Amino acid sequence: MRTKILLTALLFSSLIWNTAKATETEPNDSRNTADILALNGSDNGSISPAGDQDWWAVATNADGQLNVTLTLTSGISTYITLYDNNGTVLLAQSQSNTTFTISKDGLAVGTYYIQVVCYFNTQTTGYTLSNTLTTIAQANDPEPDSTRATALALPLNSTTTGHIGYYYNNHRDSIDFYKVTTNKDGLLQLKLTPVNGTSTYLTLYDNDGSTVLGQAQSNVPFYVTKDGLAPGTYYVQINTYYNNQFAPYTLTDSLFAPPVPNDAEPDSTRATALSIALNSSTNGHIGYYYKNHRDSIDFYKITTTQDGLLQLKLTPNGVSTYVTLYDNNGTTVLGQAQSNVPFYVTKDGLAPGTYYVQVNTYYNNQFTTYTLTDSSFATTLVNDLEPDSTRATALTLAPNSSTTGHLGYYYNNHRDSLDFYKITTTQDGLIQLKLNPNGVSTYVTLYDNNGTTILGQVQSNVPFYVNADGLAAGTYYVQVNTYYNNQFTTYTLTDSLFTYANAGDAEPNNKAYQAKTMPANGTVTGHIGFYYNNQRDSSDWHKINYTGTGALTVTCNFETIKNGGYPFAYL
């Protein structure tokens, strides 16, 4: 009976041995002759004769952890070694005389080799070799993507997954590159979630792929945020903290645009200045960055149509910002201010024209959104017609009338510092000029016809008069100018002619031979000493045809002059 049991046991052992050998083929003693081990499958084999070694090749189809299990049919201590594709770089190794498993995580897709050998080369054993691949829930990023040139497109406001640091064939996928194209100014936020707790770097680059805009690393979900970016294509690099690490990850990008609309570019010079309508508002962004360029200056142009005060209001978004008002040349500063809260730049005394406005931040590395508002406050008095700054271009002021004008208003490096008027009288008398300045000390000068001989001059900042009596009929000139060259004002100019009751005598009668005949026992009137055009009517001649024999009496009555008193004259 005992013999029968022994024979049965020997037969069963023989069957097991033959079954184990059924799937291994010889020769398989090297990498080049390795048997195929199906992925997530198992095969039987034997180490026999003594000193034999078996090689197996397993091809993976996804990144992950490769687990190799050896089940022995005997208690013989046996090695299993997992090699890279070249069959020499050792990835994992262990030995035991019972069932055991070796594992290697962080492997990329490829073909790996397994060597089975007894601990002592004098031993033999049968075995079952199996493998499992533990894959990753996160899908892999397409390769190649390890350079800026091969960067993968990451759509705006989207999420993608990838693997970093996975190894195959003596190569580790140590860098993943993405590119994100934004369409607005704003804040770009990147979120990285390393799934397996491996400390991982996230770096945001400018368009050149080398200028770092932001960087951080962690083994838990974290963010890299960069505000003040202009629209463009930016690059993102992912890599592990140590070169031998690996991690699956989730990458999310988000763009947070400011609510204030942007100004149209280019507008960084006077030549490209944007037009802003009079008494309107516009929005813009200043200091936003892209491609190693910062939009550091915005230019606007405003065209006014009347003399007056131009007011600019800037509302920055909490960043200290400058507003500069320039003359038409874009270089002469007319006003400037800066603040991080709403503020004003105001300039009065401006003539109609096109002015330029520059907006820039206080520091070159700052950025902000803003609202720019312009307001024009025109003067209430009508302006005088230009040009009228010389005697030749003097405006006609009708006798006994009023006119209004502006003086000292500035534009394009020119100040309207003089206004000229001409007054033509038809009778001798007193010319009175009244000026009503708007609180600014102003001169009024009355000139003879030549425009240089002064007949009267006064200045004040309140209404005042210039009087000149004894003027003959003719054309006179009036000059209006401010006391200081940098002043400006509006004004009302009134002229009045006060004539005399006695009519003038017929001229010429300055010589005896020009004497006019007086009627017998009659009366004549005349004017003497009245002045015009650098000439004074200093004498009048009359003749009397007397036929009588008695006394001749001549009586002269002088009219009171307008500026008071009586004249002294010879008869």
Side-chain angles (χ1 to χ4, degrees):
M1 183 68 175
R2 183 177 179 181
T3 301
K4 184 176 180 180
I5 293 173
L6 182 60
L7 288 173
T8 301
L10 288 173
L11 179 60
F12 184 70
S13 298
S14 178
L15 287 172
I16 293 175
W17 181 262
N18 288 332
T19 301
K21 293 180 63 178
T23 55
E24 178 202 353
T25 61
E26 295 287 349
N28 64 348
D29 297 340
S30 67
R31 170 189 176 278
N32 295 332
T33 59
D35 285 332
I36 302 299
L37 178 63
L39 185 63
N40 296 313
S42 65
D43 274 308
N44 300 317
S46 65
I47 303 299
S48 179
D52 185 25
Q53 57 178 299
D54 289 347
W55 282 77
W56 299 85
V58 58
T60 62
N61 57 10
D63 292 351
Q65 177 179 293
L66 185 59
N67 310 292
V68 180
T69 300
L70 189 68
T71 303
L72 299 169
T73 59
S74 65
I76 300 298
S77 187
T78 305
Y79 271 106
I80 52 173
T81 305
L82 178 63
Y83 287 104
D84 194 8
N85 182 264
N86 57 15
T88 58
V89 176
L90 189 150
L91 302 177
Q93 184 182 65
S94 187
Q95 62 87 18
S96 180
N97 60 354
T98 61
T99 299
F100 67 99
T101 301
I102 62 172
S103 298
K104 182 64 177 178
D105 203 356
L107 295 182
V109 176
T111 299
Y112 297 89
Y113 290 88
I114 304 167
Q115 181 192 53
V116 182
V117 62
C118 290
Y119 187 80
F120 295 105
N121 60 10
T122 58
Q123 294 176 317
T124 61
T125 187
Y127 63 85
T128 297
L129 185 67
S130 62
N131 74 93
T132 59
L133 179 66
T134 304
T135 58
I136 302 160
Q138 291 73 28
N140 195 8
D141 49 293
E143 295 292 341
D145 66 346
S146 297
T147 64
R148 174 184 177 275
T150 59
L152 302 174
L154 179 61
L156 199 58
N157 300 311
S158 69
T159 297
T160 192
T161 60
H163 304 169
I164 190 70
Y166 283 78
Y167 174 94
Y168 173 66
N169 201 20
N170 206 30
H171 169 74
R172 188 173 296 280
D173 175 28
S174 55
I175 294 176
D176 285 350
F177 257 96
Y178 294 89
K179 57 183 177 182
V180 181
T181 300
T182 62
N183 54 15
K184 295 179 179 179
D185 289 349
L187 180 149
L188 183 59
Q189 180 187 85
L190 303 170
K191 179 183 179 182
L192 190 77
T193 302
V195 175
N196 64 352
T198 297
S199 193
T200 307
Y201 269 106
L202 181 62
T203 306
L204 175 63
Y205 291 106
D206 195 7
N207 183 264
D208 57 10
S210 59
T211 302
V212 176
L213 302 179
Q215 185 181 69
Q217 64 86 15
S218 181
N219 64 344
V220 295
F222 66 98
Y223 295 88
V224 170
T225 301
K226 183 64 176 178
D227 203 355
L229 295 182
T233 298
Y234 299 88
Y235 289 86
V236 181
Q237 177 183 304
I238 299 174
N239 60 283
T240 57
Y241 188 81
Y242 294 106
N243 289 335
N244 61 346
Q245 291 178 312
F246 58 91
Y249 59 83
T250 300
L251 174 64
T252 301
D253 74 291
S254 303
L255 178 66
F256 300 92
V260 176
N262 196 7
D263 49 292
E265 294 292 341
D267 65 346
S268 297
T269 64
R270 174 184 177 276
T272 59
L274 302 174
S275 294
I276 177 172
L278 202 59
N279 299 310
S280 70
S281 291
T282 190
N283 298 304
H285 301 174
I286 190 71
Y288 282 79
Y289 173 95
Y290 174 63
K291 208 173 184 180
N292 206 30
H293 169 75
R294 190 172 295 280
D295 174 28
S296 55
I297 294 175
D298 286 349
F299 257 95
Y300 295 90
K301 58 183 177 183
I302 302 169
T303 300
T304 62
T305 57
Q306 299 182 65
D307 289 351
L309 179 149
L310 182 59
Q311 180 186 85
L312 304 171
K313 178 183 178 183
L314 192 83
T315 303
N317 189 17
V319 174
S320 194
T321 307
Y322 272 104
V323 167
T324 306
L325 176 63
Y326 290 105
D327 195 8
N328 183 263
N329 57 18
T331 56
T332 302
V333 176
L334 302 179
Q336 185 182 69
Q338 64 87 14
S339 181
N340 64 343
V341 296
F343 66 97
Y344 296 88
V345 171
T346 301
K347 183 64 176 178
D348 202 354
L350 296 182
T354 298
Y355 298 89
Y356 290 85
V357 181
Q358 177 182 305
V359 182
N360 62 284
T361 56
Y362 187 80
Y363 294 106
N364 290 335
N365 61 345
Q366 290 179 311
F367 60 91
T368 188
T369 61
Y370 61 85
T371 300
L372 175 64
T373 302
D374 74 290
S375 303
S376 177
F377 300 91
T379 57
T380 56
L381 293 182
V382 177
N383 195 8
D384 50 292
L385 298 176
E386 296 292 340
D388 65 346
S389 297
T390 64
R391 174 182 177 277
T393 58
L395 302 175
T396 298
L397 180 61
N400 300 305
S401 68
S402 290
T403 191
T404 59
H406 302 174
L407 188 62
Y409 283 79
Y410 173 95
Y411 173 64
N412 204 17
N413 206 30
H414 169 74
R415 189 173 295 280
D416 175 28
S417 56
L418 295 177
D419 285 348
F420 259 93
Y421 295 89
K422 60 183 177 181
I423 303 169
T424 301
T425 62
T426 57
Q427 298 181 65
D428 296 348
L430 179 148
I431 293 179
Q432 181 184 84
L433 303 171
K434 178 184 178 182
L435 191 82
N436 188 356
N438 191 16
V440 174
S441 192
T442 307
Y443 274 103
V444 168
T445 306
L446 177 63
Y447 290 105
D448 194 8
N449 182 265
N450 57 16
T452 56
T453 302
I454 296 175
L455 302 179
Q457 185 183 67
V458 179
Q459 66 86 14
S460 180
N461 64 343
V462 295
F464 64 94
Y465 296 89
V466 173
N467 293 313
D469 201 358
L471 297 182
T475 298
Y476 298 88
Y477 289 87
V478 181
Q479 176 183 301
V480 184
N481 63 283
T482 57
Y483 187 81
Y484 294 104
N485 289 335
N486 61 346
Q487 290 179 310
F488 60 91
T489 187
T490 61
Y491 60 85
T492 301
L493 176 64
T494 303
D495 76 292
S496 302
L497 177 65
F498 297 93
T499 59
Y500 287 87
N502 291 320
D505 49 293
E507 297 289 344
N509 63 352
N510 294 330
K511 303 294 183 182
Y513 70 88
Q514 297 172 327
K516 303 298 190 263
T517 300
M518 292 180 60
N521 299 310
T523 300
V524 295
T525 62
H527 296 176
I528 190 69
F530 283 80
Y531 173 94
Y532 175 65
N533 202 17
N534 206 29
Q535 183 177 355
R536 189 173 295 281
D537 177 24
S538 56
S539 62
D540 287 345
W541 285 80
H542 298 273
K543 65 180 178 178
I544 303 170
N545 295 322
Y546 183 65
T547 59
T549 59
L552 177 63
T553 301
V554 178
T555 302
C556 185
N557 294 315
F558 292 100
E559 187 177 342
T560 304
I561 61 177
K562 299 299 181 184
N563 59 2
Y566 292 91
F568 179 79
Y570 283 101
L571 177 62

